[in-house]
């Protein structure tokens, strides 16, 4: 039985479609259900639906053998796992954004609202810029509108949320997409199954 | 009735039964090390903080737990055992020291950002590391893993091979670190991208990808890495690995060895063989070790070489958790009318016969007895609960 940690939400649906197509079908899986664990003994698979930021923890601690996580979350949480594949979907940009009329004052401490404090700290450290991090859990775009922060560091998919809130992209930090990760111990003991899984995914991606 | 002193002690078998699983493992490992000529190294819990400031780069940025002693000297709770052993070693090239330790270290937990006491059992060989020393140490690492869980894997890599390979690649230190990060996380897609970004020629790029994919049995992977040799450093490392496996393959334990170049570790510390052990029941690596001549050079002992490993009990303890044993062969109740001398003799007699006995005026809810008795004056009477 292989345990797969999947991010809840839209990305999770895409991930399940992919895994189902390579033989990890789970008949009890339903997006309407409030269940968090789905198991199909005939396919030898158990799925866990997990908040995207927690996928790395479940895989690092071996509760899940493999998992799918955004590169942005991987960079932020740095779990000790193997990063086996770039799945090529769930793409987005990690950027610095601000109000359309914002002009930076390089002599002042920059107030940055984000749910990526580690990436933000590293990014500005590399620029020798003094910042104050304001850690938020959601609706980051609201922070500069209400004067809570000067800029935000967040992911941007299409840019429509930014546009609707009169925000613009100022700097590009990194590109993110969904990644297949594996627990280091599980990889050692299930090498052939995980290897076959990655090979099948690569084949699917090439079709 | 007088109780003979010979009857006071429990048999060794009974004592072993009561040990927790982790304690049983600890004593098994100790016994293995002793049989192979390793002697227990004892040390104080504290070390002068000053000592670590000289060798801070070996402590992987981990902060150190400190306190001031009575004389005003800043002391540290040991974050590492090997450095203290190397500092105190009396080994010479001709007269090596074979040591093992059972100690706690105090380190910052990456996950909870708090200091943790981590119990370690480790082994160090300091002197001249011969091919046989490598065989002996890897053999012991395999035996330790086999004691802990019958399903185990020991990943083996060689810093000389990696270092030789990177000598042949035209990249700077930062680029090298980034490439090594990809090897560590088996990140082939990023490696592919970097090969292009760093303009590595096709042949080197291909070889780097082969290296990143090494992760199978020693037999098959030795053949693969033979085709990657680019210089003398890599040739020497290859021969080290080959001769190690040639000897160890005589033992079935070696079937659990895997060659794995995702084990890149710290070049400042390790220079030769490096290895990491996993067991099925524990989600993280529980054994880590290697040859660390570089530490000896830094600690002004350049004539010596050393190899060793440590087994971390913190991860293991989580898995080996055992519920409290509240079951007793006999539960005996007594009251003010009970004859305490008879009760005492009865209890001693039962315990010397290997029984677990709980005695009390009342029975706590969690206590479960096979037989329940009550001491009525000088007579033990069976009762129903």
């Amino acid at each position: 039985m292989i345990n797969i940690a999947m991010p809840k939400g839209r990305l999770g649906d895409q991930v399940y479609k992919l895994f189902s197509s390579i033989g990890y079908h789970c008949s009890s899986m339903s997006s309407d259900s409030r269940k968090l664990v789905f198991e199909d003994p005939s396919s030898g698979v158990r799925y866990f639906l997990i908040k995207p930021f927690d996928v790395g923890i479940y895989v690092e601690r071996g509760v899940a053998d493999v998992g799918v996580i955004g590169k942005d979350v991987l960079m932020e949480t740095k779990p000790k796992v193997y990063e086996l594949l770039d799945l090529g979907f769930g793409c987005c940009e990690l950027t610095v954004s601000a109000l359309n009329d914002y002009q930076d004052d390089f002599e002042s401490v920059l107030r940055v609202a984000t749910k990526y404090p580690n990436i933000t700290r590293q990014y500005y450290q590399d620029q020798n810029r003094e910042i104050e991090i304001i850690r938020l859990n959601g609706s980051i775009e609201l922070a500069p509108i209400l004067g809570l922060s000067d800029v935000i560091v967040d992911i941007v998919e299409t840019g429509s949320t930014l546009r609707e809130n009169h925000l613009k992209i100022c700097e590009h930090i990194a590109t993110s997409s969904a990644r297949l990760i594996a627990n280091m111990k599980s990889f050692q003991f299930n090498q052939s199954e995980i290897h076959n899984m990655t090979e099948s995914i690569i084949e699917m991606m090439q079709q | 009735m007088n109780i003979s002193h010979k009857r006071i002690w429990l048999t060794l078998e009974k004592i072993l039964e009561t040990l927790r699983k982790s304690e049983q493992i600890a004593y098994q490992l100790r016994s293995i090390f002793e049989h192979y000529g390793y002697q227990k190294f004892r040390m104080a819990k504290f070390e002068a903080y000053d000592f670590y400031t000289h060798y801070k780069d070996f402590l992987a940025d981990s902060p150190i737990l400190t306190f001031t002693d009575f004389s005003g000297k800043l002391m540290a709770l040991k974050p590492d055992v090997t450095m203290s052993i190397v500092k105190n070693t009396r080994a010479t090239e001709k007269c090596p020291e074979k040591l093992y330790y059972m100690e706690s270290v105090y380190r910052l937990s990456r996950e909870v950002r708090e200091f943790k006491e981590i119990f370690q059992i480790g082994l160090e060989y300091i002197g001249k590391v011969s091919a046989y020393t490598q065989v002996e140490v890897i053999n012991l690492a395999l035996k330790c893993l086999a004691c802990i869980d019958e399903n185990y894997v020991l990943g083996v890599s060689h810093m000389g091979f990696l270092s030789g390979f990177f000598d042949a690649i035209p990249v700077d230190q930062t680029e090298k670190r980034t490439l090594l990060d990809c090897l560590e996380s088996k990140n082939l897609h990023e490696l592919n991208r970097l090969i292009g970004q760093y303009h590595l020629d096709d042949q080197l790029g291909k070889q780097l990808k082969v290296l990143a994919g090494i992760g199978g049995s020693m037999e098959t992977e030795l053949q693969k890495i033979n085709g990657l040799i680019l210089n003398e450093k890599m040739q020497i490392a290859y021969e080290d690995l080959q001769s190690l496996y040639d000897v160890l393959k005589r033992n079935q334990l070696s079937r659990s060895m895997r060659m794995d170049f995702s084990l890149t570790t710290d070049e400042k510390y390790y220079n030769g063989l490096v290895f990491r052990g996993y067991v099925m029941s524990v989600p993280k690596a529980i054994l880590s070790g290697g040859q660390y001549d570089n530490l000896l050079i830094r600690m002004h002992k350049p004539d010596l070489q050393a190899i060793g490993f440590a087994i971390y009990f913190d991860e293991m303890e989580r898995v080996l958790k055992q519920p409290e044993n509240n079951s007793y062969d006999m539960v005996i109740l007594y009251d003010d009318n009970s004859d305490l001398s008879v009760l005492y003799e009865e209890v001693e007699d039962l315990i010397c016969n290997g029984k677990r006995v709980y005695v009390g005026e009342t029975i706590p809810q969690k206590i479960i007895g096979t037989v329940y008795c009550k001491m009525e004056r000088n007579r033990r009477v069976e009762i129903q609960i």
Side-chain angles (χ1 to χ4, degrees):
Chain A
M1 178 75 70
I2 194 139
N3 297 303
I4 303 175
M6 287 208 313
K8 272 184 185 176
R10 209 158 22 127
L11 183 59
D13 296 341
Q14 273 176 289
V15 174
Y16 176 66
K17 246 185 224 165
L18 174 71
F19 277 96
S20 179
S21 69
I22 59 162
Y24 293 99
H25 178 71
C26 180
S27 49
S28 61
M29 189 70 129
S30 149
S31 53
D32 303 333
S33 170
R34 296 178 76 96
K35 269 171 64 176
L36 300 171
V37 180
F38 299 90
E39 190 176 320
D40 193 328
S42 60
S43 311
V45 65
R46 189 185 292 130
Y47 288 101
F48 307 132
L49 287 183
I50 295 166
K51 278 202 164 190
F53 260 79
D54 294 337
V55 168
I57 298 170
Y58 278 80
V59 176
E60 180 179 359
R61 292 190 170 231
V63 176
D65 301 303
V66 296
V68 174
I69 187 171
K71 180 68 178 177
D72 54 326
V73 183
L74 206 50
M75 286 163 66
E76 175 63 23
T77 54
K78 289 193 166 40
K80 277 196 168 176
V81 293
Y82 292 135
E83 183 185 333
L84 301 177
L85 271 183
D86 180 348
L87 299 175
F89 54 78
C91 297
C92 55
E93 300 290 320
L94 194 63
T95 65
V96 179
S97 307
L99 286 171
N100 286 333
D101 58 356
Y102 174 73
Q103 283 191 325
D104 199 357
D105 171 7
F106 287 93
E107 285 190 23
S108 67
V109 175
L110 188 71
R111 295 173 306 152
V112 190
T114 186
K115 59 176 174 181
Y116 300 93
N118 295 326
I119 296 175
T120 304
R121 195 172 296 115
Q122 189 61 53
Y123 179 70
Y124 284 104
Q125 228 168 45
D126 291 346
Q127 299 182 5
N128 292 322
R129 181 77 196 266
E130 196 181 347
I131 60 162
E132 180 189 333
I133 292 178
I134 300 158
R135 172 85 168 84
L136 295 177
N137 292 308
S139 303
I140 317 289
E141 297 83 1
L142 204 55
I145 296 170
L146 300 180
L148 181 65
S149 73
D150 300 316
V151 298
I152 61 171
V153 167
D154 202 11
I155 49 165
V156 178
E157 276 178 74
T158 59
S160 57
T161 313
L162 287 183
R163 278 192 297 277
E164 279 175 31
N165 288 290
H166 311 292
L167 296 163
K168 63 177 179 190
I169 293 173
C170 306
E171 291 160 64
H172 169 89
I173 298 178
T175 302
S176 174
S177 56
R179 307 293 160 102
L180 177 72
I181 58 172
N183 171 269
M184 290 178 159
K185 185 269 302 190
S186 300
F187 185 87
Q188 301 292 340
F189 288 97
N190 303 299
Q191 261 197 45
S192 62
E193 173 150 24
I194 295 176
H195 179 74
N196 291 341
M197 179 191 281
T198 55
E199 289 298 311
S200 306
I201 293 175
I202 292 169
E203 267 177 42
M204 279 301 294
M205 282 161 49
Q206 283 167 349
Q207 275 171 21
Chain B
M1 178 175 95
N2 282 325
I3 300 165
S4 157
H5 77 276
K6 284 183 187 163
R7 298 185 63 207
I8 294 170
W9 310 112
L10 293 167
T11 60
L12 186 60
E13 200 178 296
K14 283 288 167 191
I15 293 170
L16 289 176
E17 264 178 29
T18 57
L19 292 180
R20 290 176 63 79
K21 183 90 170 89
S22 56
E23 289 169 326
Q24 288 176 14
I25 291 170
Y27 286 112
Q28 273 179 317
L29 302 190
R30 182 180 177 154
S31 172
I32 292 173
F33 296 157
E34 295 264 355
H35 275 83
Y36 280 85
Y38 287 76
Q39 290 177 335
K40 188 153 189 270
F41 182 85
R42 281 176 210 282
M43 64 188 85
K45 282 232 175 312
F46 318 123
E47 187 79 70
Y49 176 74
D50 199 33
F51 171 62
Y52 297 111
T53 55
H54 286 106
Y55 306 109
K56 222 175 171 183
D57 46 338
F58 291 117
L59 293 173
D61 296 333
S62 175
I64 298 168
L65 203 54
T66 58
F67 67 96
T68 312
D69 74 2
F70 283 118
S71 64
K73 194 173 174 186
L74 191 61
M75 303 295 288
L77 271 87
K78 284 192 166 67
D80 177 87
V81 177
T82 307
M83 284 162 70
S84 299
I85 292 182
V86 170
K87 186 184 80 171
N88 294 312
T89 186
R90 290 186 186 133
T92 61
E93 245 183 300
K94 287 190 177 157
C95 184
E97 272 194 315
K98 291 183 173 191
L99 304 165
Y100 72 92
Y101 59 86
M102 303 168 88
E103 296 284 337
S104 286
V105 293
Y106 301 85
R107 290 181 186 165
L108 191 75
S109 157
R110 198 173 65 86
E111 290 120 359
V112 291
R113 303 296 298 165
E114 273 176 21
F115 278 102
K116 257 173 61 175
E117 180 179 0
I118 302 166
F119 181 64
Q120 286 186 353
I121 292 187
L123 169 147
E124 313 288 356
Y125 178 102
I126 306 175
K128 184 177 177 298
V129 175
S130 66
Y132 190 76
T133 312
Q134 294 180 341
V135 168
E136 183 174 277
V137 171
I138 297 286
N139 183 45
L140 285 168
L142 286 162
K143 287 198 171 186
C144 289
L145 291 171
C147 272
I148 296 162
D149 190 324
E150 59 185 14
N151 292 312
Y152 59 93
V153 167
L154 185 74
V156 180
S157 164
H158 200 297
M159 291 308 287
F161 198 85
L162 282 169
S163 155
F165 189 75
F166 278 93
D167 285 350
I169 297 187
V171 288
D172 63 29
Q173 281 304 311
T174 317
E175 291 167 343
K176 177 180 166 183
R177 187 62 257 166
T178 315
L179 290 170
L180 281 169
D181 284 345
C182 288
L183 288 190
E184 262 173 43
S185 59
K186 295 191 182 286
N187 188 340
L188 275 168
H189 49 275
E190 183 66 9
L191 196 63
N192 253 328
R193 196 185 65 75
L194 291 171
I195 287 167
Q197 188 181 322
Y198 299 160
H199 307 295
L200 299 182
D201 75 44
D202 283 355
Q203 187 58 20
L204 280 176
K206 262 186 208 159
Q207 287 181 308
L208 193 53
K209 283 190 266 185
V210 172
L211 197 63
I214 298 286
S217 73
M218 293 292 284
E219 193 105 34
T220 53
E221 304 302 49
L222 271 165
Q223 284 174 11
K224 281 192 208 163
I225 68 162
N226 192 17
L228 299 177
I229 296 168
L230 299 168
N231 50 37
E232 201 191 341
K233 218 174 182 178
M234 293 177 82
Q235 181 67 37
I236 292 169
Y238 170 77
E239 283 166 11
D240 254 8
L241 287 163
Q242 181 71 62
S243 64
L244 174 78
Y245 184 63
D246 280 346
V247 179
L248 281 172
K249 69 182 177 193
R250 285 153 214 278
N251 192 329
Q252 286 196 351
L253 289 169
S254 67
R255 288 184 191 164
S256 297
M257 280 171 79
R258 306 265 184 279
M259 195 177 293
D260 187 351
F261 281 96
S262 71
L263 273 167
T264 65
T265 71
D266 191 349
E267 263 189 289
K268 289 196 288 282
Y269 196 95
Y270 291 112
N271 57 301
L273 278 180
V274 284
F275 44 96
R276 194 184 287 160
Y278 297 89
V279 294
M280 181 69 115
S281 50
V282 183
K284 292 183 182 176
I286 57 161
L287 182 150
S288 166
Q291 184 167 347
Y292 53 92
D293 303 349
N294 292 342
L295 177 69
L296 285 119
I297 294 168
R298 270 289 301 279
M299 292 180 85
H300 311 294
K301 297 180 181 182
D303 299 334
L304 296 175
Q305 297 173 311
I307 184 167
F309 62 83
I311 296 159
Y312 308 103
F313 274 63
D314 55 333
E315 287 301 330
M316 226 186 315
E317 291 270 11
R318 276 184 220 168
V319 179
L320 298 175
K321 252 194 261 174
Q322 285 167 268
E324 225 180 352
N325 185 359
N326 289 316
S327 299
Y328 292 85
D329 297 309
M330 190 170 290
V331 175
I332 307 177
L333 284 168
Y334 68 91
D335 57 25
D336 293 346
N337 297 321
S338 306
D339 183 327
L340 300 187
S341 303
V342 176
L343 170 65
Y344 173 63
E345 282 181 3
E346 292 256 3
V347 171
E348 286 304 297
D349 197 42
L350 285 162
I351 286 179
C352 287
N353 282 309
K355 304 289 184 205
R356 277 169 57 83
V357 184
Y358 183 90
V359 181
E361 287 180 282
T362 55
I363 311 171
Q365 213 172 8
K366 62 181 184 181
I367 300 297
I368 298 159
T370 310
V371 177
Y372 293 88
C373 295
K374 191 174 177 208
M375 222 41 214
E376 285 187 349
R377 292 188 185 278
N378 58 0
R379 211 163 54 90
R380 178 158 55 87
V381 182
E382 206 170 311
I383 55 170
Q384 297 299 319
I385 297 287

